[in-house]
Amino acid sequence: MARVGLTTDRLVRAGADLADEVGFDQVTVSALARHFDVKVASLYSHVRNSQDLKTRIALLALAELADRAAAALAGRAGKDALAAFADVYRDYAREHPGRYAAARLRLDPETAADSAGVRHARMTRAILRGYHLTEPDQTHAVRLLGSVFHGYVSLELAGGFSHSAPDSQETWTRIVDALDALLRNWPAQ
């Protein structure tokens, strides 16, 4: 029988918190058992193994990000929407580095299709419709935005911009400005 008070949701949230503290790669069922001061076996009625735990943390992170993005995008369009969307990802990564790493976990196709990742794609495409992009340009632009946001955030989290001026916020603002200009003047094929 499972330990009183332990639920799958509680374990996943504790795993997400642990990921933020020690890094997503360090999260295991054993580490979580140590956190709750229980035997590993007592957690197996809630999660199958460490991969299942990590998948559940990834799904939580995707849902949290989607909720934040939806709230930030409400009533916004164009550059204002693009900047709000970009800031959601950057702020989330800075506040929750382990969860942010979890959101990048490769999911099997069925799990991915049922995840909040679909909401992310819809929101990104909604922003891009404001720039009048159609397929296949929308897909190219989705990939561009994801690459730029993730690349910048990853470098910033690793301390890549802390050693020189100007401040990384100034660069971030200029990147969003440049992306807005590019999307408004997307090259015709």
Side-chain angles (χ1 to χ4, degrees):
M1 183 168 146
R3 182 176 173 98
V4 176
L6 291 182
T7 64
T8 302
D9 183 60
R10 186 169 177 215
L11 292 173
V12 171
R13 290 189 178 283
D17 291 343
L18 186 62
D20 288 338
E21 292 171 25
V22 301
F24 182 60
D25 291 340
Q26 302 303 312
V27 175
T28 63
V29 174
S30 296
L32 204 52
R34 283 190 300 277
H35 172 79
F36 283 105
D37 195 27
V38 298
K39 294 183 191 250
V40 172
S42 66
L43 301 186
Y44 287 126
S45 62
H46 302 287
V47 294
R48 289 187 305 273
N49 52 38
S50 291
Q51 187 59 40
D52 180 43
L53 175 62
K54 286 184 173 189
T55 298
R56 290 171 186 268
I57 294 168
L59 294 173
L60 172 68
L62 287 168
E64 288 177 344
L65 262 169
D67 290 346
R68 284 187 182 200
L73 289 173
R76 297 176 191 246
K79 181 181 175 187
D80 192 32
L82 178 65
F85 194 65
D87 287 345
V88 163
Y89 281 88
R90 184 174 181 226
D91 292 345
Y92 188 80
R94 292 161 107 187
E95 292 169 33
H96 300 291
R99 284 174 164 93
Y100 180 77
R104 312 260 67 75
L105 182 70
R106 185 179 184 135
L107 302 172
D108 67 75
E110 185 177 326
T111 303
D114 291 337
S115 77
V118 175
R119 288 176 58 206
H120 294 274
R122 285 186 191 136
M123 287 184 275
T124 306
R125 289 178 185 281
I127 291 167
L128 294 173
R129 280 193 300 278
Y131 288 97
H132 308 292
L133 295 181
T134 58
E135 286 302 337
D137 291 329
Q138 251 189 32
T139 297
H140 295 309
V142 165
R143 292 172 181 167
L144 171 71
L145 294 178
S147 298
V148 171
F149 297 161
H150 178 65
Y152 191 88
V153 165
S154 296
L155 289 169
E156 186 175 43
L157 287 175
F161 306 133
S162 61
H163 59 279
S164 63
D167 182 71
S168 64
Q169 179 59 45
E170 184 179 336
T171 304
W172 181 252
T173 301
R174 293 190 68 169
I175 286 171
V176 173
D177 290 345
L179 288 170
D180 174 65
L182 173 64
L183 292 171
R184 280 186 282 111
N185 299 294
W186 192 263
Q189 290 293 324

